[in-house]
């Protein structure tokens, strides 16, 4: 796939930023030079995936493409119930509508924003139980995505197992630096859940990247194949929500997996109500073909080695220039410690958002804030999250090393002028998922304005 890159000038970008109310979600993608907003749905598909798209069987029920998709997912995960959905949050909505509700509490290492929002939408409470090292950007712990087993036991003792309809673990832990979860941790958490009869579900968007890091980092795992490790991760779980827009290597699609027959029957009914019949779930047959192929290709260890290495390359160069990132580099993105980068901007003036705007203004690079704008503030979540991060997410199979070198150079240039960055205030925002549409204004000192 070849796409032209339009170059904008600094002056044009200053104007575009202003018109977007300093929210890069509101900028048209053609005005972005390097788009690191997300790795979700931004994958370049392979020739085999495009070939599959042409073969897509569009029968309403029991299409050939559905059977191919199901066979691949069965062998990947071993799960008996496989529900296709249009994306991850559709899987989340179905699951939490069935098991959430007021008084319920749902733990996770760290909930992703849509997971949290779908849980809270049912009146339930979403709780983050990541290990302490996961909150420290400098910690070199190899599995900073791990869920703290002691905190889980405490939560069960506090609220009672009956109030916890599911325990989630996000692999890799996107909201916490794309950090992996170890097999050992999955087993520990599963043992605690099993004692209290709490099902364990994975938020498994980046299962292959997580498995590759298990292979690289967990003692005794480096001789195993990634597909073997992936299968063990799913074998430990009772179900999973997946956005196929990440390790499914597609532009749209999701999956909901489960073992429980009764829950699956209810989920199928909801799927039919809002997504589509159970053999296509809100997708076209050609999308199922692309997913089946993507879920196969992602296990290619040459691909995974290249992917993780290129993310590391970006991280290493930023660190060398003195830019603090969440260490060690995660699977799909580099997370800059924005509080460290803009130490002169107080948290209530959104240092992460200030850095996001500066990267766009300086070089047309679109990143995303994962800090007080995304996870804090508002009436519902007055407390700030543990870290103020800016994520540079790398789309799969899209950018080359020279694009990444451009990002490195530009970020270092912004770093050298960091004292000039100014804070922001929110002037308009919705109650939930405010980062998508919030409007900001710059807080410039009177002297600067003059
Ligand atoms: C960990 C995690 N869970 C859930 C989702 C939601 O997936 P989707 O965007 O397909 O709804 C995302 C998307 O970025 C994610 O990273």
């Amino acid at each position: 796939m070849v796409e032209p890159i339009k170059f904008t000038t600094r002056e044009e970008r200053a104007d575009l930023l202003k018109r977007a109310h300093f929210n890069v979600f509101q900028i048209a993608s053609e005005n972005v030079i390097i788009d690191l907003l997300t790795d979700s749905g931004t994958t370049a598909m392979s020739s085999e995936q495009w070939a599959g798209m042409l073969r897509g069987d569009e029968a309403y029920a029991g299409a050939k493409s559905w059977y191919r998709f199901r066979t691949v997912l069965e062998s990947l995960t071993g799960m008996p119930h496989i529900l296709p959905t249009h994306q991850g949050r559709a899987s989340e909505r179905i699951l939490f509508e069935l098991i959430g509700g007021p008084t319920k509490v749902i733990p996770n290492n760290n909930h992703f924003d849509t997971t949290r929002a779908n849980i809270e939408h049912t009146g339930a409470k979403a709780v983050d139980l990541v290990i302490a090292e996961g909150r420290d950007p400098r910690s070199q712990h190899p599995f900073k995505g791990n869920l703290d087993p002691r905190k889980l036991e405490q939560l069960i003792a506090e609220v009672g197992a009956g109030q916890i309809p599911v325990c989630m673990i996000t692999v890799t832990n996107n909201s916490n630096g794309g950090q992996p979860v170890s097999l050992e941790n999955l087993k520990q958490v599963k043992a605690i859940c099993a004692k209290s009869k709490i099902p364990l579900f994975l938020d498994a968007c980046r299962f292959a990247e997580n498995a590759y890091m298990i292979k690289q980092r967990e003692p005794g795992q480096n001789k195993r194949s990634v597909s073997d490790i992936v299968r063990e991760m799913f074998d430990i779980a009772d179900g999973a929500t997946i956005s196929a827009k990440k390790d499914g290597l597609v532009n749209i699609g999701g999956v909901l997996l489960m073992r429980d027959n009764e829950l699956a029957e209810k989920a199928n009914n909801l799927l039919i109500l809002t997504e589509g019949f159970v053999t296509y779930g809100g997708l076209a047959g050609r999308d199922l073909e692309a997913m089946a192929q993507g879920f196969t290709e992602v296990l290619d260890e040459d691909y995974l080695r290249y992917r993780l290495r290129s993310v590391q390359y970006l991280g290493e160069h930023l660190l060398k220039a003195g830019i603090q990132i969440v260490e060690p580099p995660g699977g799909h993105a580099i997370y800059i410690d924005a509080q460290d980068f803009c130490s002169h901007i107080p948290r209530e003036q959104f240092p992460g958002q200030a850095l996001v705007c500066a990267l766009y203004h300086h070089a047309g690079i679109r990143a995303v804030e994962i800090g007080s704008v995304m996870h804090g503030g508002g009436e519902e979540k007055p407390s700030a999250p543990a870290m103020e991060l800016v994520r540079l997410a790398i789309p799969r199979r899209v950018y080359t090393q020279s694009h990444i070198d451009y990002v490195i150079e530009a970020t270092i240039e912004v770093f050298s002028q960091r004292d000039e960055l100014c804070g922001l205030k929110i002037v308009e925002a919705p109650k939930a998922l405010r980062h998508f549409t919030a409007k900001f204004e710059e807080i410039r000192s009177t002297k600067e304005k003059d």
Side-chain angles (χ1 to χ4, degrees), residues 352-428:
Q353 192 68 16
L355 175 54
V356 165
C357 290
L359 286 171
Y360 179 74
H361 181 216
H362 185 68
I365 297 166
R366 179 155 65 171
V368 69
E369 193 261 15
I370 301 195
S372 291
V373 177
M374 186 183 277
H375 289 302
E379 285 165 36
E380 288 157 4
K381 288 173 279 171
S383 65
M387 295 189 271
E388 296 293 333
L389 302 175
V390 166
R391 186 184 70 179
L392 306 172
I394 314 298
R396 292 167 181 78
R397 308 192 292 204
V398 171
Y399 291 122
T400 64
Q401 184 166 341
S402 58
H403 295 111
I404 299 297
D405 284 335
Y406 173 85
V407 174
I408 292 167
E409 277 171 38
T411 310
I412 294 173
E413 281 163 15
V414 173
F415 188 57
S416 67
Q417 304 153 17
R418 60 191 179 281
D419 293 344
E420 291 164 29
L421 270 54
C422 70
L424 296 147
K425 64 176 179 208
I426 291 183
V427 289
E428 210 181 298

Side-chain angles (χ1 to χ4, degrees), residues 107-108 129 131 146-162 164-169 183-201 236-238:
N108 202 331
L129 302 180
I131 56 170
N146 284 355
L147 187 148
D148 189 330
R150 269 182 316 142
K151 288 188 198 158
L152 179 60
E153 282 172 331
Q154 271 166 15
L155 182 76
I156 296 171
E158 248 169 60
V159 304
I164 305 177
V166 72
C167 174
M168 304 280 301
I169 295 195
L183 271 179
E184 189 196 11
N185 187 249
L186 287 174
K187 286 181 201 159
Q188 274 177 330
V189 171
K190 171 68 187 178
I192 295 168
C193 287
K195 247 194 314 182
S196 300
K197 296 197 168 42
I198 297 169
L200 173 66
F201 270 53
I236 293 168
D238 300 291

Side-chain angles (χ1 to χ4, degrees), residues 210-405:
N210 196 88
Y212 194 75
M213 284 191 270
I214 286 176
K215 181 176 170 122
Q216 287 182 314
R217 298 180 188 177
E218 192 159 346
Q221 299 297 326
N222 69 347
K223 296 262 175 333
R224 296 179 69 190
S225 69
V226 165
S227 61
D228 230 31
I229 297 172
V230 165
R231 183 54 188 266
E232 187 173 353
M233 285 163 54
F234 282 107
D235 282 346
I236 293 168
D238 300 291
T241 55
I242 305 182
S243 165
K245 297 167 73 174
K246 287 81 171 172
D247 277 353
L249 301 181
V250 290
N251 307 120
I252 196 70
V255 196
L256 176 57
L257 302 164
M258 56 190 72
R259 298 190 192 281
D260 185 289
N261 296 337
E262 226 176 283
L263 184 64
E265 197 185 320
K266 289 185 197 155
N268 274 330
N269 289 338
L270 266 188
L271 185 79
I272 294 170
L273 189 69
T274 57
E275 290 280 303
F277 188 56
V278 294
T279 64
Y280 72 88
L283 294 164
R286 53 183 174 273
D287 297 323
L288 295 172
E289 286 283 345
M291 277 208 279
Q293 184 62 27
F295 278 119
T296 309
E297 286 176 12
V298 78
L299 299 176
D300 179 341
E301 298 193 19
D302 289 338
Y303 155 75
L304 284 167
R305 186 179 313 119
Y306 177 79
R307 165 127 182 102
L308 273 86
R309 185 65 199 108
S310 57
V311 173
Q312 260 174 7
Y313 172 86
L314 170 59
E316 284 164 6
H317 278 78
L318 297 185
L319 274 170
K320 217 160 70 192
I323 299 172
Q324 186 61 51
I325 61 165
V326 173
E327 296 180 72
H332 65 291
I334 289 299
Y335 294 66
I336 298 173
D337 181 343
Q339 191 63 85
D340 192 75
F341 197 106
C342 314
S343 52
H344 60 293
I345 302 180
R347 295 193 84 174
E348 55 283 9
Q349 292 182 16
F350 308 118
Q353 192 68 16
L355 175 54
V356 165
C357 290
L359 286 171
Y360 179 74
H361 181 216
H362 185 68
I365 297 166
R366 179 155 65 171
V368 69
E369 193 261 15
I370 301 195
S372 291
V373 177
M374 186 183 277
H375 289 302
E379 285 165 36
E380 288 157 4
K381 288 173 279 171
S383 65
M387 295 189 271
E388 296 293 333
L389 302 175
V390 166
R391 186 184 70 179
L392 306 172
I394 314 298
R396 292 167 181 78
R397 308 192 292 204
V398 171
Y399 291 122
T400 64
Q401 184 166 341
S402 58
H403 295 111
I404 299 297
D405 284 335

